[in-house]
Amino acid sequence: MKRWDTFAALCGHLRAGLLGGAPPDPVADIHWELLIEASSHHFVTPALAWCLRGQIGIPSEVRDYFDATLTLNDRRNKHLLEALARTVAALNAIDIEPLLLKGAARLVDGVYPAAKLRLLGDIDVLIPGDRSADAASALKHIGFGEGAENELEAGHHHLPMLRERDTGAGVELHTELTKPPHQTIISAAWFSQNTRSFKLQDLWVRLPDPTRSVAHNIVHDQLNNGNYQLGRVQLRQLLDLAMLRARHENTIDWAELDHRFCSVGKGAVLATYLEFAEVLLGQPAPDLSHTARPRALADFRRRIDLPALRALADLRMQVDDVLARRDHPVGVLKKLISPRTWSTGIQLVKAAISRW
């Protein structure tokens, strides 16, 4: 069985378990090691475990693995939500009502049938830009401190990560949603419109409206993370989009999103991402001004079947990062050179240097 067949089966099980799609082939035909590899690579193993609960024919060791994954992610998310409550309490105390982003918003908004299905990396919130120093000080006062991963270029769209010393929970305080080239699509001012207030325990947060959540989902995955350039998607983010649409499709303003992406020449980014959502998760794409990038799905399939292409594409994107950030070559070189990829990496670095 090729990796693409396994990836397609993974999407099929998510579609059937969460979006009402037809079930894929029986589980007896699954290559379990490849399925777990694919779900882990895309950070959707808890969701897959939930979708396969009660299925007959799953090997006992695989079922135990899935049960443990769900249990541990449930426990982890509870700890992160407790850290979110402490964060919100500190911000409310200085008259800041944070706007929840990404995974934190998805858990609080309840678009998943259970919080344990969504693997959460850290806590992301949007705050007013002129209150960023006050907000960071308030969190440091209750036990958050800057971690070792805090090398950010000037003008980054969020402050350096703050980690709670007792739990390790990470919080990113955003003052914008993306880097300047893409703020025409999704500025903090636009994103903060039409929010709704939500009571979290005895605290207050704000949740973004569905149209803006969709915009952030696509910009974050395809532009901020460079996945459009690499010809790929992260299934965790695509599943977030699908769950948002399943809950809020009637209130999503696709015409506005089409206009905002097209206004900066990114109409194909929107169309391509929604084509992936249609093919992989069964949600028909809306009518848009642009069509998807030619061969996007075929190229993505080829990259999954040939994993070496993924590493080479990642290195090439990082070389472009070197060229764009010549003032931080050492930090980028650390990312490029690893025991597995150093030989190819150093060739690409040399090629990049020759272009300076």
Side-chain angles (χ1 to χ4, degrees), residues 73-81 107 115 118 120:
N73 196 52
D74 186 37
R75 187 180 305 166
R76 183 175 188 275
N77 281 356
K78 287 177 180 176
H79 286 313
L80 287 171
L81 288 173
L107 294 191
R118 178 45 158 90
L120 197 63

Side-chain angles (χ1 to χ4, degrees), residues 83 87 122-125 139 144 160-163 169-173:
T87 298
D122 48 47
I123 298 165
D124 296 87
V125 299
L139 293 192
F144 285 82
M161 173 80 75
L162 295 173
R163 289 203 175 275
V171 174
E172 286 185 352
L173 298 172

Side-chain angles (χ1 to χ4, degrees), residues 140-350:
K140 290 176 182 178
H141 183 71
I142 64 167
F144 285 82
E146 293 188 5
E149 68 272 42
N150 283 331
E151 293 184 12
L152 298 176
E153 66 269 22
H156 198 76
H157 56 284
H158 62 73
L159 275 63
M161 173 80 75
L162 295 173
R163 289 203 175 275
E164 194 171 36
R165 283 187 283 271
D166 292 341
T167 68
V171 174
E172 286 185 352
L173 298 172
H174 290 247
T175 55
E176 284 288 349
L177 283 304
T178 185
K179 299 172 185 177
H182 307 129
Q183 285 175 8
T184 301
I185 302 175
I186 181 170
S187 67
W190 176 75
F191 190 82
S192 299
Q193 296 173 12
N194 299 339
T195 62
R196 60 186 175 93
S197 191
F198 184 90
K199 192 171 184 180
L200 180 68
Q201 300 176 18
D202 293 324
L203 308 164
W204 290 99
V205 297
R206 302 200 72 82
L207 293 172
D209 84 350
T211 299
R212 288 156 175 80
S213 289
V214 168
H216 189 210
N217 172 278
I218 298 171
V219 167
H220 174 69
D221 183 73
Q222 294 293 284
L223 299 177
N224 288 358
N225 290 346
N227 284 332
Y228 182 76
Q229 178 185 347
L230 291 171
R232 68 185 185 189
V233 296
Q234 187 192 85
L235 195 51
R236 175 176 59 170
Q237 301 298 333
L238 197 68
L239 185 59
D240 274 358
L241 172 72
M243 300 305 291
L244 277 165
R245 291 183 65 186
R247 172 73 69 86
H248 300 293
E249 182 70 40
N250 291 337
T251 64
I252 297 172
D253 189 340
W254 292 111
E256 180 170 11
L257 291 173
D258 191 25
H259 169 73
R260 299 189 78 86
F261 277 85
C262 290
S263 68
V264 291
K266 300 296 182 183
V269 174
L270 176 64
T272 302
Y273 197 69
L274 292 172
E275 180 181 79
F276 275 106
E278 180 169 358
V279 173
L280 299 178
L281 296 177
Q283 288 184 321
D287 291 333
L288 300 169
S289 300
H290 281 67
T291 57
R293 183 171 60 190
R295 293 190 49 80
L297 191 68
D299 290 343
F300 181 60
R301 176 173 181 166
R302 181 168 172 261
R303 289 173 46 118
I304 287 179
D305 275 337
L306 299 173
L309 292 178
R310 295 201 299 264
L312 187 59
D314 288 346
L315 284 168
R316 283 179 176 145
M317 186 183 75
Q318 291 169 5
V319 166
D320 288 338
D321 195 19
V322 171
L323 293 173
R325 293 166 49 194
R326 301 180 192 187
D327 54 334
H328 294 87
V330 175
V332 181
L333 284 173
K334 286 179 181 177
K335 294 194 301 181
L336 279 172
I337 300 174
S338 73
R340 291 183 301 164
T341 62
W342 70 268
S343 58
T344 304
I346 202 66
Q347 293 170 19
L348 290 172
V349 171
K350 288 179 179 177

Side-chain angles (χ1 to χ4, degrees), residues 17-135:
L18 293 170
L19 300 166
D25 294 336
V27 296
D29 299 332
I30 291 176
H31 189 302
W32 291 104
E33 290 83 356
L34 287 181
L35 185 69
I36 291 172
E37 175 193 89
S39 68
S40 299
H41 181 73
H42 285 270
F43 302 107
V44 294
T45 302
L48 174 65
W50 192 89
C51 292
L52 290 177
R53 71 198 191 288
Q55 290 272 8
I56 298 173
I58 299 177
S60 59
E61 64 273 17
V62 175
R63 191 177 298 280
D64 289 344
Y65 173 82
F66 283 151
D67 288 345
T69 298
L70 273 175
T71 299
L72 291 171
N73 196 52
D74 186 37
R75 187 180 305 166
R76 183 175 188 275
N77 281 356
K78 287 177 180 176
H79 286 313
L80 287 171
L81 288 173
E82 289 168 358
L84 172 62
R86 290 188 288 273
T87 298
V88 173
L91 296 177
N92 282 179
I94 58 171
D95 297 321
I96 295 176
E97 198 170 289
L99 177 53
L100 302 189
L101 305 174
K102 296 162 50 178
R106 302 291 78 79
L107 294 191
V108 172
D109 196 21
V111 298
Y112 285 90
K116 61 185 175 181
L117 274 64
R118 178 45 158 90
L119 188 64
L120 197 63
D122 48 47
I123 298 165
D124 296 87
V125 299
L126 180 67
I127 59 171
D130 61 357
R131 300 296 309 280
S132 60
D134 296 336

